[in-house]
Structures are given as structure tokens and as C-alpha cells.
Amino acid sequence: MAEATGPVDRRAALKAKSRRAILDAAADLMTRRRTADFSVDDLAAAADVSRRTVFNHFATLEDVVTEVSGHMLTEVVDRMSAQAASADREPDTVLADLVATASAHHLVPVVVELFDILGGADPQPGNREALLMQRAFTLFTERMTAAMTGRHPDVDTLAVRLLVAAFCGGLLGFVHLWIEETGAADTPASRRAWDRLVARTTEILREPGA
């Protein structure tokens, strides 16, 4: 049996390596060019893979951009989860943990970078940019849900999932309002505006079991 799994494991490792190379190359292109507009040929050359390999892993370039954008947001959740796990304190309420993770200090720099890459100088992003941002926040919601259910095992799982979905939906609901108000600039004033919108979102939500 071991002989049969060896080649399979090697193929899986090579496949994972190719996928990682594609995502890393896309992230580098997006960061350097400050845009998500690049071709499959650009991406394949940067990742040192063939066009066919790119499409073996991703159906469209939009899927690549979505995953890279989502990773930028989910890294915030991962950092907060790591900090919480290493801290010598009891978990806060679910809602308080959500607010802490979504604070301007953590999310504004990422949202500004995403807007710069996906939306450019236009304060009114088009359908493509709005859809990419929405899909990125979907990945953020999934990671946030996993983090919160793991951090609060004694709270009803469905209640946590619904609260996270409502909270993250609120973030996505106001992100473009915040962009219009602030021009997607990372300033003390724009951070205060972000935190005010987070507070408004929190006001209409309720802690599970409260």
C-alpha cells in the first residue's frame, strides 16, 4: 500500500507547489503593479508555469485574484487568532472579538491596499471591482467563522456562525460608503470613521445567549 501512495503523494505535493507558485506570483504582480489587470501569460511567466497549469488550478483569472485578495483579509484573522491563542486571558465575548479583529487598526490598511489594487483611483468601483471585493470578504467571513467557533466552543455554533455572517455582511455593506466618505485614505480621520461604522454595525447585533 505504501508503494501505491508514494507517487500519489508526490503528485499532490507538486500540484500544491504549482498552486502556491501561481498565488505567490499573482500577489507579487498585484502588489508591484497596483492593479489586478494582468494576463494569463503574465501570470504563467511570473510563476514559471504553463498557461495550462494555471487553468488546471483556477477556472479564471478572477478566481486567482479573489483568492489572493481573500488571503490579504484572512491574514488579519490569522494574526488575531495567533495573538489570542498566545495571550494569557480568557476569550472575550464573540461580538467583542469580532469588533477587535475588524478594528480600523487591523482592517483599514488592508482595505486601502485592496481598493488601490482592485478599484484604482475611481471612488466608485465598477461591477468587477465590487464583485472581487465581495468575494474577498466571503473568504474573510469563512475564516472568521472558523476562528470564532474555535475560540468560543461553549457558545452555540449556529449562533456564532449567524453572528459572524451578519457582522461581516455589515462590514461589506459599509465598506463602499467608507470609501466614498474618506477616499480610501489611511488617515487618523478615516480610521475614526471606520471604527464609527463598526460601532454602528455592532449596535444592531446581539451577543449569542445574551
Side-chain angles (χ1 to χ4, degrees), residues 21 61 204:
L61 276 178
I204 65 173

Side-chain angles (χ1 to χ4, degrees), residues 123-203:
Q124 295 286 345
N127 291 337
R128 175 178 180 268
E129 291 76 18
L131 178 60
L132 288 171
M133 185 73 80
Q134 180 179 353
R135 291 171 68 180
F137 264 88
T138 297
L139 294 177
F140 175 75
T141 302
E142 291 172 358
R143 186 65 60 86
M144 186 81 93
T145 299
M148 291 300 136
T149 53
R151 185 159 167 73
H152 298 273
D154 296 331
V155 181
D156 179 70
T157 299
L158 178 59
V160 174
R161 293 177 66 88
L162 291 174
L163 179 59
V164 173
F167 182 82
C168 292
L171 297 185
L172 182 60
F174 74 61
V175 67
H176 291 300
L177 296 176
W178 177 84
I179 289 170
E180 291 174 15
E181 178 183 337
T182 66
D186 186 357
T187 66
S190 73
R191 291 190 176 203
R192 287 193 295 271
W194 178 275
D195 283 335
R196 283 197 300 272
L197 289 167
V198 171
R200 289 289 302 277
T201 302
T202 307
E203 287 173 3

